Amino acid sequence: MPKLVKPRGVLVAGNWKMNHGPKAAHAFLSELAQALASTHSAKPPAGLRAAVLTPAVTLSAALQAVQEHPTLQGWLQVGAQNAHHEPSGAYTGELSGPLLREIGIGLALVGHSERRQLFGETDETAGQRLSSLLHQGFQVIFCVGETLGQRQAKATAKTVLGQLEWAHRVAAARREPWDASRLIIAYEPVWAIGTGLTATPGQAQEVHALIRGWLEGKGLGQTPVLYGGSVTPENFAGLLECPDVDGGLVGGASLKSASFLKLIETGAQAI
Ligand code: PGA
């Protein structure tokens, strides 16, 4: 058997942040389905997956659009951008696992740097959300990454592995061991998010290799590790050449269906 080029497949996840309401999501997904149907990529290769992480009000419409388009089914998932670790309660403005499940969502992003920097998310609360959601059967994309100051202080490894270690300790304390089949890590250097500054493939690979080593040490070797931070259709192929980059978490370049399609096609070529 030849060795797989991408043993963990490729995942292209679009983080729409606070963009695209139900109408825009429906239009986006219809355009994507039509574009896929008119190219030979109508059926994506085995191992290629995609996801859109939408605002809360958009989730149902996005799910509905996927249902309407057979070309999107089975490989394009719809996910939430955040969810609380408690199943219910007095947490104004929050979403929970059971609420998401009720409308058919089984994927969530946790610990994004914008949640950490702008909304008070900490290593502790991100760890709680991650372990609780995994325990509830969700697939979770868990974000880690260093700031520019931490990189300049040569504290990248310490920061990123520290974030993982902290979350892992939270899971142990909650007696919610991680399930590697549902865990996805996203390495997102904070200095590269929305800035147009992408980590070079060399910089990305260096940190991805560290994360992979850490995961293997915990018996979580099958966990994919995505790169995020100003990924574009132009730089994605170079990043995917890195052996430990298993896909991308993409903000700005995921907002237009044509650009998202290019990212998916690049992912397909890398497999
Ligand atoms: P960006 O965002 O691609 O716009 O840099 C990535 C992210 O925040 O997940």
Side-chain angles (χ1 to χ4, degrees):
M1 286 275 283
K3 200 167 168 291
L4 288 174
V5 186
K6 286 284 170 197
R8 292 166 294 277
V10 169
L11 170 61
V12 182
N15 176 11
W16 285 357
K17 309 191 181 186
M18 202 168 69
N19 298 290
H20 290 347
K23 276 189 209 147
H26 197 274
F28 177 108
L29 291 168
S30 302
E31 281 162 25
L32 183 66
Q34 269 161 28
L36 283 166
S38 65
T39 66
H40 21 253
S41 47
K43 197 167 185 306
L48 180 72
R49 293 186 295 152
V52 286
L53 306 162
T54 82
V57 293
T58 306
L59 291 168
S60 291
L63 280 175
Q64 173 75 33
V66 172
Q67 292 250 305
E68 284 168 20
H69 296 288
T71 32
L72 301 181
Q73 285 165 23
W75 67 282
L76 187 116
Q77 279 180 285
V78 177
Q81 295 173 11
N82 186 28
H84 200 272
H85 60 276
E86 291 291 348
S88 62
Y91 301 102
T92 302
E94 287 285 322
L95 289 172
S96 72
L99 294 177
L100 290 167
R101 271 266 178 256
E102 189 177 329
I103 60 162
I105 299 293
L107 167 71
L109 185 66
V110 163
H112 189 277
S113 64
E114 285 153 16
R115 299 296 319 165
R116 294 175 189 258
Q117 295 201 312
L118 306 173
F119 301 102
E121 186 88 80
T122 62
D123 285 338
E124 179 75 19
T125 60
Q128 288 170 332
R129 287 167 192 240
L130 169 62
S131 70
S132 167
L133 287 163
L134 283 177
H135 200 64
Q136 293 175 59
F138 275 73
Q139 288 178 61
V140 184
I141 303 175
F142 184 65
C143 302
V144 294
E146 82 287 1
T147 62
L148 186 57
Q150 287 164 331
R151 174 161 282 264
Q152 284 167 342
K154 305 211 178 317
T156 298
K158 185 169 164 254
T159 304
V160 168
L161 299 184
Q163 288 166 337
L164 289 170
E165 198 59 53
W166 189 299
H168 196 257
R169 275 205 298 270
V170 170
R174 293 173 60 88
R175 296 199 171 80
E176 291 171 341
W178 292 349
D179 181 335
S181 69
R182 283 187 271 104
L183 174 64
I184 299 155
I185 304 293
Y187 167 57
E188 296 208 307
V190 178
W191 49 270
I193 295 178
T195 57
L197 292 172
T198 323
T200 62
Q203 286 172 320
Q205 172 57 26
E206 197 181 350
V207 183
H208 278 243
L210 283 173
I211 296 173
R212 178 129 312 283
W214 184 90
L215 287 166
E216 279 166 6
K218 302 285 184 205
L220 299 163
Q222 71 195 87
T223 303
V225 184
L226 313 181
Y227 168 80
S230 299
V231 172
T232 63
E234 290 71 41
N235 62 28
F236 195 35
L239 290 159
L240 284 176
E241 277 173 20
C242 303
D244 294 313
V245 173
D246 305 314
L249 178 57
V250 190
S254 75
L255 290 175
K256 292 219 166 79
S257 62
S259 166
F260 194 59
L261 176 67
K262 280 193 196 141
L263 293 165
I264 288 169
E265 286 174 343
T266 304
Q269 278 156 18
I271 286 179

